[in-house]
Amino acid sequence: MNLTQVTYLTLAGYFETRVFIHLLFLILLCLYVLIIVSNVLLIVVICMTRSLHEPMYLFLCSLFVNELYGSTGLFPFLLLHVLSDVHTVSLSLCFLQIFCVYSYVTIEFFTLAIMSYDRFLAICYPLQYSTRMTFNRIAILIAIMWLLAFLIVTGTIVCSLSLKLCGNTIINVYCVNYSIVKLSCGDTTPNNIYGLFVTAGTVFVPLTLILFTYVKILKVCFSGCKQTRQKAISTCTPHLASLLNFSFGVCFEVLQSRFDMSSAPNILRIFLSLYFLTCQPLFNPLMYGLGLSKIRHVCKCLFHSDM
């Protein structure tokens, strides 16, 4: 059986939930609506408030757009399959979902890395910050980040499209590239090599940059005054919390896809595979909306004026 004969894939991660199917659908729907409302609200607040037109908040705006993009690549698909009796998906739609999910992950890591560099400049080089982080430079950084992510993931899709498949069943509730690679009956060495380079470029390089910037920030905090430490803590805490939450979620999914998890309960495997796609898009707006005083103040004024 080659790739041209495989037109549909079966998602074997779903299990029978007839009793709770509508409750599960309602929970997922409410979660998706909360994600949309919270992220759109903060995007509008940042765009409409002139005092928030600063580099950190513009990067946040890009981050919130990415949360909407990533969750939209998953939730409509998930909601449809929860109510469906047949859990099959066309190969083309499967690759479209892989493109959305993988580019979402790449953009998320890139954005968190750029945000850490922005905090590094603001705290370690405050006098040069305004000249280094101009509006044009921010726009260029965001555009390059999104474009580079799309190009990297396009390469992943092209490599997988060339594979010959000997099966059509993947043990998951959404499409994962490595699950398709495992169905191949041909040589997957090019895919594995490209995958290693992609993982290094999209995960380890951003994490290394983040680690470097925070080592520098900590040095300044310990040698600086109390006001400098307070400023660093107030702006860096939401970023670190977001980074740890997302990194652990992605780590769970990578480990699950690479190792045999058949002995683990099915519900646990599904939860771990969905964690970074369902929790991060809601975690970020809550963390930044409540954690950053400027955004919190504008949101309070907005709701009080409506009352």
Side-chain angles (χ1 to χ4, degrees), residues 12 30 36 40 51-52 72 75 84 93 115-116 133 135 137 180 184 216 250 260 265 298:
C30 289
I36 293 174
V40 169
S51 62
L52 296 180
T72 301
F75 274 93
S84 177
L93 184 59
M115 288 174 67
S116 71
M133 277 294 177
F135 180 82
R137 187 166 294 179
I180 295 178
S184 173
K216 295 292 186 181
V250 171
D260 183 17
V298 173

Side-chain angles (χ1 to χ4, degrees), residues 66 110 283:
N66 190 46
F110 283 175
F283 181 85

Side-chain angles (χ1 to χ4, degrees), residues 245 247-257 261 272-273 275:
N245 183 66
S247 297
F248 280 125
V250 171
C251 182
F252 287 146
E253 171 56 22
V254 170
L255 291 176
Q256 178 179 245
S257 63
M261 297 279 289
L272 291 179
S273 68
Y275 180 82

Side-chain angles (χ1 to χ4, degrees), residues 32-265:
Y32 185 39
V33 170
L34 279 174
I35 288 171
I36 293 174
V37 171
S38 58
N39 282 280
V40 169
L41 172 64
L42 291 183
I43 291 169
V44 171
V45 165
I46 292 172
C47 291
M48 299 297 291
T49 308
R50 187 174 294 275
S51 62
L52 296 180
H53 292 179
E54 299 175 8
M56 180 176 69
Y57 299 104
L58 296 177
F59 289 130
L60 273 178
C61 198
S62 175
L63 189 71
F64 296 144
V65 170
N66 190 46
E67 306 304 350
L68 292 172
Y69 168 66
S71 57
T72 301
L74 173 73
F75 274 93
F77 180 90
L78 202 60
L79 290 168
L80 182 65
H81 277 273
V82 164
L83 292 179
S84 177
D85 294 324
V86 181
H87 305 297
T88 59
V89 57
S90 68
L91 198 62
S92 57
L93 184 59
C94 197
F95 277 119
L96 177 61
Q97 186 177 51
I98 289 171
F99 180 86
C100 291
V101 171
Y102 280 49
S103 55
Y104 159 73
V105 172
T106 305
I107 294 165
E108 193 84 2
F109 275 119
F110 283 175
T111 305
L112 291 172
I114 290 177
M115 288 174 67
S116 71
Y117 179 69
D118 172 73
R119 292 299 83 209
F120 163 70
L121 289 179
I123 295 169
C124 300
Y125 299 97
L127 298 179
Q128 303 173 32
Y129 181 68
S130 58
T131 56
R132 290 195 184 188
M133 277 294 177
T134 62
F135 180 82
N136 288 339
R137 187 166 294 179
I138 293 166
I140 291 171
L141 281 172
I142 292 174
I144 290 175
M145 179 176 63
W146 280 74
L147 181 60
L148 185 59
F150 289 152
L151 289 175
I152 290 171
V153 178
T154 298
T156 302
I157 300 296
V158 170
C159 286
S160 297
L161 282 171
S162 63
L163 293 174
K164 293 182 179 180
L165 304 185
C166 294
N168 66 344
T169 301
I170 58 178
I171 312 299
N172 214 325
V173 294
Y174 65 95
C175 294
V176 178
N177 185 67
Y178 191 69
S179 297
I180 295 178
V181 172
K182 289 194 291 187
L183 293 176
S184 173
C185 49
D187 182 21
T188 60
T189 302
N191 300 76
N192 293 328
I193 293 173
Y194 184 77
L196 287 173
F197 278 108
V198 167
T199 303
T202 61
V203 179
F204 293 113
V205 170
L207 288 178
T208 301
L209 175 61
I210 292 169
L211 180 63
F212 170 79
T213 56
Y214 272 98
V215 168
K216 295 292 186 181
I217 289 171
L218 285 173
K219 284 183 179 179
V220 171
C221 289
F222 283 122
S223 62
C225 62
K226 183 179 179 181
Q227 186 178 3
T228 302
R229 288 196 295 271
Q230 288 177 339
K231 179 185 176 183
I233 291 171
S234 64
T235 58
C236 293
T237 299
H239 179 266
L240 280 174
S242 175
L243 174 67
L244 290 173
N245 183 66
F246 189 67
S247 297
F248 280 125
V250 171
C251 182
F252 287 146
E253 171 56 22
V254 170
L255 291 176
Q256 178 179 245
S257 63
R258 295 302 192 275
F259 298 98
D260 183 17
M261 297 279 289
S262 57
S263 58

